[in-house]
């Protein structure tokens, strides 16, 4: 006979995700969102990336956004707003 | 204490003067030396912060006792008792002790269960107590709550902790069921805005969960509020704090090298629970300050980064003690993310302040005003980029309420401890009376 102990771990029911389709080969005429995490220097890195992209492509517009707080995911309302306005989003994680 | 005894053993008559806060450890040392009823001269604690004149007064007061112990002729009292018999032979090394009603085979079984928990990756690195279904039910019944009821939520990871999972963690941590209401209150305290929802359990800042217990439950369950406050030796403190970490590791699934991104963390992540020393505090207890009745039992919890001692045994001036505390809170490395603090003031510091008319609020105000650095210093460290007056003093805290002031520890030295937190968010929650008691 086996003894029984209670499993201490929680679980979450997350369905396997899939990436958005890769629809373009370049960023000409596209709107690019740079989403800043609020971490120190994340703004500088993203700004530099924006400049580099603009050198390479005829980007239509760079949208600079900041999420409210780095410790949490971007609020869904902010994400939806950016998704409807931008073709691609570049975000950053780390310190 | 040992010194006087050493001289006695060398054949030199000796007298030892001890401040009363150390009588217990002095007695223990004398026993260890084989002098179970060693007589010494006791003076009121503290001595280190007395003025020279006060020291002379102490000396005059204690002199007759010292002379008596030395057996001097003009002493008012009788000569000292002769020392006890020589100590028993040392008892170093292991000796078997039997555990009543438990067989060796059963002990081996327990070892296997402990190893099973390790193999599953369910521990904090220390052995845990097995959580059986029966015991989990017993814990849930004790608090009279549905095992499936959610008590804490980590929304951004889509994880919850139910009464059942909290009970499992509490059992594994070594709690008795009587401790479980305190664990639940601490978990629920962090449900407040800027608690679990900040994601700070995953932060590189490596914060732990500090739990401060107030009210009558401290004594009922044996929470330590005095000596060795942050150290080992007390089941209630150790197991309640540890239960929170096991919830985070298992129920929330926030494990090191994965979701837990701590750069260093802190040993307090194993367990961090203290009680306020309300009995030796000159001020109202923390929970009363925060709006609860004095006879309520309450936890106040927050994220905490580290634990830094503040020593000033010499000064007897409140401003100097408070400046030492504020200066210790103002080290450069805390500038970036140390915008809240819990000041755990030792009873000796607190009583020194109160004797000279200082209220708790006045102490908090003073600390806040002196907690910070000049712009020039912060620029020198590369922590600040802005221009402006180099001499301007920049306060690290937004207001005196960026501080909690708790009185705890032993009343045996001029010591306090400061505990920084990323942001000044402190959560209080009443501990529910058990319904199934």
């Amino acid at each position: 006979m086996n003894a029984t102990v209670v499993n201490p771990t929680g679980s979450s029911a997350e369905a396997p995700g899939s990436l958005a389709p890769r629809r373009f080969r370049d960023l000409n005429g596209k709107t690019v969102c740079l989403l800043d995490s609020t971490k120190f220097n994340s703004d500088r890195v993203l700004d530099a990336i924006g400049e580099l992209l603009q050198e390479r492509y005829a980007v239509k517009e760079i949208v600079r956004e900041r999420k409210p707080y780095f410790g949490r995911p971007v609020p869904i309302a902010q994400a939806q707003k950016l998704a409807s306005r931008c073709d691609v989003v570049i975000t950053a994680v780390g310190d | 204490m040992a010194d006087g005894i050493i001289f006695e053993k060398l054949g030199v008559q000796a007298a030892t003067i001890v401040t009363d806060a150390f009588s217990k450890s002095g007695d223990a040392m004398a026993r260890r030396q084989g002098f179970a009823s060693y007589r010494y001269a006791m003076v009121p604690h503290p001595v280190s912060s007395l003025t020279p004149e006060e020291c002379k007064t102490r000396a005059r007061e204690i002199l007759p006792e010292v002379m008596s112990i030395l057996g001097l002729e003009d002493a008012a009292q009788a000569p000292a008792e002769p020392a006890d018999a020589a100590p028993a032979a040392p008892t170093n090394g292991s000796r078997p002790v039997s555990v009543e009603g438990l067989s060796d085979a059963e002990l081996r079984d327990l070892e296997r269960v402990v190893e099973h928990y390790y193999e599953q990756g369910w521990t904090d690195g220390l052995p845990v107590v097995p959580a059986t279904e029966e015991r989990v039910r017993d814990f849930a019944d004790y608090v009279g709550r549905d095992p499936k009821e959610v008590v804490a939520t980590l929304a951004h990871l889509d994880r919850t902790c139910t009464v059942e999972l909290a009970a499992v963690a509490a059992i594994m941590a070594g709690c008795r069921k009587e401790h479980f209401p305190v664990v639940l209150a601490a978990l629920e305290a962090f449900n407040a805005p800027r608690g679990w929802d900040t994601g700070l359990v995953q932060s590189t800042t490596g914060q732990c969960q500090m739990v401060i217990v107030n009210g009558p439950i401290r004594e009922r369950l044996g929470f330590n509020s005095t000596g060795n406050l942050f150290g080992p030796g007390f089941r209630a403190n150790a197991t309640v704090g540890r239960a929170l970490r096991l919830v985070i590791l298992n129920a929330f699934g926030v494990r090191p090298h994965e979701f837990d991104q701590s750069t260093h963390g802190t040993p307090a992540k194993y367990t961090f629970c203290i009680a306020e020393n309300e009995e030796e505090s000159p001020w109202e207890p923390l929970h009363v300050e925060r709006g609860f009745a004095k006879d309520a039992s309450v936890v106040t919890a927050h994220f905490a980064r580290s634990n830094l001692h503040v020593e000033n045994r010499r000064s007897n001036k409140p401003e100097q003690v408070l400046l030492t505390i504020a200066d210790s809170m103002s080290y450069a490395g805390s500038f970036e993310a140390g915008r809240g603090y819990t000041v755990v003031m030792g009873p000796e510091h607190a009583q020194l302040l109160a004797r000279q008319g200082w209220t708790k609020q006045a102490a908090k105000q003073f600390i806040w005003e002196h907690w910070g650095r000049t712009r020039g210093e912060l620029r020198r460290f590369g922590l600040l980029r802005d221009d402006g007056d180099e001499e301007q003093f920049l306060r690290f805290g937004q207001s005196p309420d960026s501080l909690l002031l708790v009185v705890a520890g032993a009343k045996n030295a001029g010591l306090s401890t400061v505990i920084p937190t990323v942001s000044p968010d402190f959560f209080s929650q009443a501990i529910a009376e058990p319904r199934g008691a």
Side-chain angles (χ1 to χ4, degrees):
Chain A
M1 196 181 78
N2 289 333
T4 307
V5 295
V6 183
N7 187 326
T9 60
S11 58
S12 50
E14 197 67 31
S18 57
L19 294 178
R22 273 25 193 173
R23 288 178 289 134
F24 0 94
R25 309 295 300 175
D26 62 56
L27 294 177
N28 295 327
K30 300 294 186 284
T31 301
V32 177
C33 169
L34 304 173
L35 180 63
D36 173 351
S37 70
T38 71
K39 276 276 183 184
F40 192 67
N41 272 343
S42 62
D43 50 352
R44 292 180 168 178
V45 172
L46 288 171
D47 285 343
I49 285 174
E51 285 164 22
L52 291 170
L53 291 177
Q54 282 175 310
E55 285 171 17
R56 283 168 175 71
Y57 304 108
V59 173
K60 181 179 162 200
E61 189 188 356
I62 298 277
V63 177
R64 284 289 280 111
E65 281 264 340
R66 249 188 165 203
K67 69 177 188 175
Y69 171 63
F70 58 76
R72 261 174 307 193
V74 58
I76 192 67
Q78 188 181 17
Q80 282 166 342
K81 194 186 82 185
L82 293 171
S84 66
R85 183 173 165 197
C86 304
D87 298 299
V88 302
V89 176
I90 298 173
T91 177
V93 174
D95 238 312
Chain B
M1 196 64 69
D3 295 347
I5 292 171
I6 287 167
F7 285 114
E8 298 287 355
K9 285 179 174 173
L10 291 172
V12 180
Q13 59 196 67
T16 305
I17 300 170
V18 176
T19 72
D20 55 16
F22 288 91
S23 64
K24 277 188 181 167
S25 58
D27 291 342
M29 176 55 85
R31 276 196 301 278
R32 174 61 55 85
Q33 300 278 343
F35 291 72
S37 52
Y38 183 70
R39 185 174 157 210
Y40 47 85
M42 197 142 71
V43 297
H45 186 85
V47 166
S48 56
S49 58
L50 298 182
T51 63
E53 199 44 53
E54 288 169 329
C55 288
K56 284 182 191 162
T57 307
R58 264 322 134 79
R60 273 194 297 275
E61 287 165 358
I62 201 64
L63 186 64
E65 174 75 353
V66 169
M67 292 172 68
S68 167
I69 291 170
L70 289 170
L72 299 178
E73 274 178 11
D74 55 348
Q77 293 167 9
E81 298 284 318
D84 288 359
T91 55
N92 288 342
S94 62
R95 282 179 305 161
V97 177
S98 72
V99 184
E100 208 174 316
L102 200 63
S103 70
D104 286 338
E106 286 169 323
L107 271 184
R108 282 193 295 276
D109 289 345
L110 178 61
E111 288 168 11
R112 282 172 53 204
V113 180
V114 168
E115 285 305 319
H116 176 78
Y117 274 89
Y118 277 117
E119 285 158 19
Q120 299 296 317
W122 288 344
T123 91
D124 52 7
L126 295 171
V128 293
V129 176
T132 61
E133 290 175 289
E134 182 187 357
R135 192 117 191 272
V136 171
R137 264 198 308 278
D138 194 29
F139 270 50
D141 289 347
Y142 181 74
V143 295
R145 292 175 65 167
D146 178 355
K148 299 296 176 200
E149 185 188 340
V150 171
V151 292
T153 303
L154 206 59
H156 68 280
L157 294 183
D158 191 25
R159 288 295 183 97
T160 56
C161 178
T162 57
V163 170
E164 185 176 41
L165 283 175
V168 173
I171 292 165
M172 287 168 62
C175 288
R176 286 191 288 123
K177 65 183 176 188
E178 290 79 8
H179 302 130
F180 190 39
V182 188
V183 173
L184 290 178
L187 286 169
E188 288 174 324
F190 283 98
N191 285 334
R194 310 249 350 119
W196 298 125
D197 66 353
T198 53
L200 281 174
V201 286
Q202 296 175 251
S203 171
T204 50
T205 55
Q207 302 201 84
C208 59
Q209 289 63 45
M210 184 182 188
V211 177
I212 304 158
V213 181
N214 277 100
I217 202 164
R218 293 168 308 135
E219 198 167 350
R220 207 161 69 232
L221 298 185
F223 281 96
N224 180 35
S225 65
T226 62
N228 204 26
L229 183 72
F230 301 111
F234 302 91
R235 182 178 183 173
N237 304 57
T239 62
V240 166
R242 189 187 185 199
L244 259 67
R245 177 53 45 186
L246 288 172
V247 164
I248 292 166
L249 289 167
N250 289 321
F252 287 164
V254 177
R255 297 208 169 101
H257 298 189
E258 297 170 12
F259 281 134
D260 184 336
Q261 302 161 356
S262 302
T263 306
H264 284 175
T266 156
K269 288 177 89 166
Y270 281 103
T271 183
F272 200 17
C273 175
I274 66 167
E276 185 164 33
N277 187 345
E278 296 175 23
E279 291 70 20
E280 292 187 292
S281 169
W283 300 313
E284 63 177 8
L286 179 67
H287 68 304
V288 175
E289 181 191 346
R290 294 177 66 81
F292 294 85
K294 183 148 179 26
D295 61 356
S297 290
V298 176
V299 297
T300 300
H302 64 86
F303 293 105
R305 286 195 79 164
S306 54
N307 187 297
L308 183 72
H309 75 276
V310 181
E311 187 154 332
N312 189 339
R313 305 179 188 231
R314 300 181 182 200
S315 173
N316 55 13
K317 294 194 167 58
E319 291 84 355
Q320 291 176 339
V321 168
L322 292 170
L323 279 174
T324 309
I325 290 172
D327 182 76
S328 306
M329 293 161 58
S330 306
Y331 65 98
S334 73
F335 169 70
E336 203 161 354
R339 298 309 177 86
Y341 264 94
T342 284
V343 176
V344 178
M345 200 177 275
E348 199 167 302
H349 278 166
Q351 291 182 14
L352 183 153
L353 264 62
R355 271 200 306 276
Q356 299 185 48
W358 282 70
T359 64
K360 192 199 247 191
Q361 198 53 41
K364 283 172 70 170
Q365 178 77 27
F366 186 95
I367 292 170
W368 172 65
E369 287 171 3
H370 295 86
W371 164 30
R373 302 289 286 247
T374 64
R375 176 179 280 108
E377 288 172 320
L378 293 169
R379 286 180 56 88
R380 187 160 58 83
F381 298 126
L383 289 165
L384 207 60
R385 288 174 177 171
D386 74 336
D387 297 322
D389 179 6
E390 294 262 313
E391 296 304 312
Q392 191 188 354
F393 185 81
L394 301 177
R395 288 176 184 162
F396 285 5
Q398 277 195 331
S399 77
D401 290 332
S402 299
L403 305 170
L404 282 189
L405 205 172
V406 185
V407 178
K411 195 193 152 198
N412 63 3
L415 275 165
S416 291
T417 292
V418 293
I419 296 164
T421 175
V422 166
S423 58
D425 302 297
F426 309 108
F427 318 112
S428 291
Q429 174 86 28
I431 301 165
E433 283 295 320
R435 278 176 262 173

